[in-house]
Amino acid sequence: MSGAALGIEIVVVFFLALIILHRYGDFKKQHKLVIVATLLAWHLCFLIVFILPLDVTTTIYNRCKVNLNSSPPESTTSNVSYTTPAPRKHECFKPWSYIPDGIMPIFWRVVYWTSQFLTWILLPFMQSYARSGGFSITGKIKTALIENAIYYGTYLLIFGAFLIYVAINPKFNLQWSQLQTIGIAAANTWGLFLLVLLLGYGLVEIPRSHWNGAKKGYLLMKTYFKAAKLMTEKADAEENLEDIMEEVRKVNESFKYNHPLRKCVDTILKKCPVEYQERMGRNMDDYEDFEERPNTYPTEKNLAKLHKQVIYSVQRHRRTQVQWRILLEQAFYLEDVAKNETSATHQFVHTFPSQEPENKIARYLYTPTVEWYWECLLRPWFHRILAIILATFSIIVVWSECTFFSTNPVLSLFAVFIKLAEKNYNYFYIEMACFLTIFFLSICVYSTVFRIRVFNYYYLASHHQTDAYSLLFSGMLFCRLTPPLCLNFLGLTHMDSTIAKSLEQPTAYTSIMGSMKVLSFIADGFYIYYPMLIVILCVATYFSLGTRCLNLLGFQQFMGDNEMTSDLIDEGKELIRREKRKRQRQEDGENRRREWKERYGNNREDSSRNRNVQADQKESSFTETNTTRSVASKYTRSNGRNERDRVELLQDAEPLDFNADSVGEDPLDSDSGRYQPGGRYLSMSRSRIFDDV
């Protein structure tokens, strides 16, 4: 199994990241490079979380081998005794997930530096590139470089400050390895600062959200509150889109087809919704000499700004429309749950049928009876039990964050669990304990990243409604938060040489990171004592101090004891009720049309069938009549062949001067071609020429 566990986890984590990215991103509309860069960033971060327990078990096994090889032989003298017996040979068995020597350092080096390249160089540049309104690749690259000049300059300034500190301090010799450690320390310091903020919020909010989810009516009231806020945002997005489309219409009318910037206008029109494109059309009918008044036209820079506004407004409008439909379905379902709680039949009845196609297997297993017992009886208890378990984990994490620096005695509970398992070399227990610990920490941090919203600047919206800028920004945050998260986990379990200084062999991850020993004030000060602030953040989150401050600043937040919250709940309830009546009218109209079709559909089919039979009969009789006429005309034409010959001879004859006084010779000396007074022949009579035609 050497290396097999590593390969399996790489594949599993890749598909996990792909599934999550598919929920938030849109693979069809967004640029492929944005999808690939975000997927790579998410995959590397999730991979670090899943592979780190394997590194811990491999390190413990290597320590066991070192202790076994260095243990002194058993002495025959009775005066000598060992308080800690050396581990026996059968206790150092190889774990199933053992990774051979030399693989993990290379793996961590590739993963870490790739993620750092993404988060500090590539992803910020791609953010500016994706948000740019330029019409060419060169223009977008130029805009991205200008926007990131201050960004890159700030980090170069910070790195220069660390470099000057190391150069002035006589204890350090400037070497490449030390410069590398300084860069890692600077990145981890920034990540640890943000990590504690997000972790303090997630440790309290995740258990509380599950506990409140078990309360009757809580989710429904919160949904009403969201509906009122989302309707305001939806109206604002529609108004903003109308204003932007009015500007696009004016620009479209001002630029004629012969203008050199007409291609830019066409690019903007392609980004507009279809209904606006059909309304505006293309203004290519008139020719205009644009050189006569060049100052009245918008410049290319103004068009690029308008292009950027169009992309943003269209994305926001589409996102609010989709979120409104999803929120309506959620509100209708929660109202159905509230109604079915008092049902005596124990059958879950939906007000409206689901608009999504149902799976046959799910419909067979998830019957209305099963749905009633789960939604009305079992689900609240499940949320309560899960909230208690998560709250217990949160208390353990807070305690360990405040005491992990103490190695004698060992106060960190996670370190105690790992030490107990290490004595018996129970590798499966070690892996499970490490995985559950780091998985819970990552859930608290990553879920906060998915929940936070910085106005409309950063917002991860599900159902494929996240824009490219937010996806890339989330990849940046994950790459910056994951390395300090893993170092914090190793500190909690005393697997980091910075905390447990007596460790003979650190993990491969710690050896790559350098453990920040070069900068003592970070390794012995900030890295150890800053995580204690998590207690203050947890208390502030428990009493909703941040929510109350935002509410005072005018940002409406859901608070049960607030008058503004009650007003928004009433407003949202009325909106949901209005949409429900609208949906019911649509359902009633469809039912009436269906009943009308079922009742009168057969009569219509019979009458249409009779009409088709009569039409076939008429067509057959008409065909027979035409056949008879064609046969009769055949014999008529054969009998009148002489008449046609005479007409052809008259047509080929030279024209005569009917006004002349006399004619020398008759053109046709026959009875049928006698010349009549007035210049007319008997054979040219209309009644006789067209008899056979």
Side-chain angles (χ1 to χ4, degrees), residues 127-387:
Q127 270 188 305
S128 301
Y129 183 88
R131 204 176 182 88
S132 174
F135 300 99
S136 62
I137 298 177
T138 306
K140 291 185 177 181
I141 292 176
K142 182 180 178 181
T143 304
L145 290 176
I146 294 175
E147 290 182 358
N148 286 273
I150 301 176
Y151 179 81
Y152 293 135
T154 303
Y155 290 114
L156 288 176
L157 182 62
I158 295 174
F159 181 76
F162 278 106
L163 190 63
I164 294 172
Y165 170 78
V166 174
I168 295 175
N169 196 334
K171 297 181 180 179
F172 304 110
N173 295 324
L174 287 178
Q175 298 178 359
W176 172 249
S177 60
Q178 293 180 348
L179 291 177
Q180 182 179 351
T181 305
I182 291 173
I184 295 174
N188 289 336
T189 302
W190 190 96
L192 184 63
F193 177 79
L194 184 60
L195 174 68
V196 173
L197 298 178
L198 299 180
L199 186 61
Y201 176 82
L203 289 174
V204 177
E205 189 61 29
I206 291 179
R208 183 165 59 183
S209 62
H210 286 281
W211 182 263
N212 292 331
K215 296 180 181 178
K216 291 184 178 180
Y218 176 84
L219 293 178
L220 186 57
M221 295 297 106
K222 194 171 184 179
T223 304
Y224 289 151
F225 178 82
K226 290 181 180 179
K229 290 188 63 177
L230 186 58
M231 175 56 71
T232 304
E233 183 181 359
K234 179 171 170 288
D236 186 31
E238 292 176 353
E239 183 179 356
N240 185 26
L241 182 63
E242 290 288 343
D243 295 339
I244 298 298
M245 290 299 105
E246 181 65 22
E247 295 183 10
V248 173
R249 184 189 63 81
K250 294 178 181 179
V251 171
N252 181 46
E253 292 178 353
S254 62
F255 284 89
K256 305 303 178 181
Y257 74 95
N258 61 322
H259 198 280
L261 296 180
R262 181 64 205 185
K263 294 182 179 179
C264 300
V265 179
D266 293 339
T267 303
I268 296 175
L269 289 176
K270 292 179 182 178
K271 302 298 177 62
C272 299
V274 179
E275 57 271 17
Y276 289 97
Q277 294 182 19
E278 295 175 352
R279 189 184 306 173
M280 289 184 290
R282 295 188 54 146
N283 188 22
M284 298 179 61
D285 297 335
D286 299 328
Y287 177 87
E288 185 177 6
D289 189 3
F290 56 88
E291 295 181 354
E292 294 182 357
R293 48 189 187 97
N295 296 327
T296 59
Y297 291 99
T299 61
E300 186 176 358
K301 185 177 180 180
N302 295 333
L303 291 178
K305 184 178 179 180
L306 180 61
H307 186 204
K308 183 178 179 180
Q309 293 175 352
V310 168
I311 295 174
Y312 168 74
S313 60
V314 171
Q315 172 68 25
R316 184 187 176 192
H317 179 262
R318 182 169 60 246
R319 185 188 71 225
T320 53
Q321 295 291 333
V322 174
Q323 288 180 335
W324 178 251
R325 291 195 296 268
I326 296 172
L327 189 63
L328 287 179
E329 296 295 332
Q330 182 181 0
F332 294 157
Y333 188 76
L334 291 175
E335 288 180 348
D336 292 340
V337 172
K339 291 180 180 179
N340 285 275
E341 286 180 352
T342 58
S343 176
T345 60
H346 295 177
Q347 296 283 332
F348 198 92
V349 180
H350 293 270
T351 304
F352 303 109
S354 178
Q355 297 181 354
E356 299 180 358
E358 296 183 358
N359 190 1
K360 294 182 179 180
I361 299 176
R363 184 174 56 186
Y364 178 76
L365 297 176
Y366 197 62
T367 60
T369 303
V370 175
E371 186 176 4
W372 186 90
Y373 277 101
W374 167 250
E375 293 292 343
C376 302
L377 188 62
L378 299 177
R379 188 170 184 173
W381 286 103
F382 171 78
H383 280 286
R384 292 189 184 97
I385 295 173
L386 183 60

Side-chain angles (χ1 to χ4, degrees), residues 568-580:
L568 290 176
I569 289 175
D570 296 337
E571 181 181 352
K573 186 184 297 185
E574 183 61 30
L575 291 173
I576 297 299
R577 189 178 304 165
R578 186 186 309 165
E579 293 292 335
K580 193 172 185 178

Side-chain angles (χ1 to χ4, degrees), residues 272-512:
C272 299
V274 179
E275 57 271 17
Y276 289 97
Q277 294 182 19
E278 295 175 352
R279 189 184 306 173
M280 289 184 290
R282 295 188 54 146
N283 188 22
M284 298 179 61
D285 297 335
D286 299 328
Y287 177 87
E288 185 177 6
D289 189 3
F290 56 88
E291 295 181 354
E292 294 182 357
R293 48 189 187 97
N295 296 327
T296 59
Y297 291 99
T299 61
E300 186 176 358
K301 185 177 180 180
N302 295 333
L303 291 178
K305 184 178 179 180
L306 180 61
H307 186 204
K308 183 178 179 180
Q309 293 175 352
V310 168
I311 295 174
Y312 168 74
S313 60
V314 171
Q315 172 68 25
R316 184 187 176 192
H317 179 262
R318 182 169 60 246
R319 185 188 71 225
T320 53
Q321 295 291 333
V322 174
Q323 288 180 335
W324 178 251
R325 291 195 296 268
I326 296 172
L327 189 63
L328 287 179
E329 296 295 332
Q330 182 181 0
F332 294 157
Y333 188 76
L334 291 175
E335 288 180 348
D336 292 340
V337 172
K339 291 180 180 179
N340 285 275
E341 286 180 352
T342 58
S343 176
T345 60
H346 295 177
Q347 296 283 332
F348 198 92
V349 180
H350 293 270
T351 304
F352 303 109
S354 178
Q355 297 181 354
E356 299 180 358
E358 296 183 358
N359 190 1
K360 294 182 179 180
I361 299 176
R363 184 174 56 186
Y364 178 76
L365 297 176
Y366 197 62
T367 60
T369 303
V370 175
E371 186 176 4
W372 186 90
Y373 277 101
W374 167 250
E375 293 292 343
C376 302
L377 188 62
L378 299 177
R379 188 170 184 173
W381 286 103
F382 171 78
H383 280 286
R384 292 189 184 97
I385 295 173
L386 183 60
I388 293 173
I389 295 174
L390 294 176
T392 304
F393 266 95
S394 298
I395 294 173
I396 295 175
V397 169
V398 173
W399 171 261
S400 300
E401 289 286 356
C402 296
T403 59
F404 74 94
F405 59 87
S406 176
T407 57
N408 190 16
V410 179
L411 298 179
S412 175
L413 297 180
F414 294 113
V416 172
F417 297 154
I418 298 299
K419 294 295 182 182
L420 291 176
E422 186 178 357
K423 289 181 179 180
N424 299 323
Y425 296 96
N426 190 347
Y427 297 108
F428 179 77
Y429 175 81
I430 293 173
E431 288 182 4
M432 291 303 299
C434 292
F435 175 76
L436 291 177
T437 302
I438 194 171
F439 183 74
F440 178 73
L441 294 175
S442 60
I443 286 295
C444 293
V445 175
Y446 294 161
S447 63
T448 308
V449 174
F450 282 98
R451 287 186 181 188
I452 60 176
R453 177 178 180 178
V454 185
F455 302 103
N456 291 313
Y457 177 78
Y458 168 75
Y459 181 38
L460 289 177
S462 58
H463 297 84
H464 321 291
Q465 299 304 314
T466 305
D467 59 347
Y469 188 88
S470 298
L471 287 177
L472 295 172
F473 191 77
S474 66
M476 290 172 52
L477 288 179
F478 287 158
C479 291
R480 296 180 188 183
L481 291 172
T482 304
L485 174 66
C486 295
L487 280 179
N488 184 258
F489 161 74
L490 293 175
L492 294 177
T493 56
H494 289 183
M495 297 296 294
D496 189 0
S497 58
T498 303
I499 305 301
K501 299 181 179 180
S502 61
L503 289 179
E504 299 177 357
Q505 185 177 4
T507 60
Y509 187 82
T510 305
S511 62
I512 296 300

Side-chain angles (χ1 to χ4, degrees), residues 103-131:
I103 294 180
M104 288 305 300
I106 298 175
F107 175 79
W108 287 129
R109 190 174 288 109
V110 172
V111 169
Y112 178 77
W113 289 112
T114 303
S115 63
Q116 294 304 301
F117 173 76
L118 289 174
T119 187
W120 298 106
I121 298 178
L122 183 60
L123 292 182
F125 178 80
M126 292 186 64
Q127 270 188 305
S128 301
Y129 183 88
R131 204 176 182 88

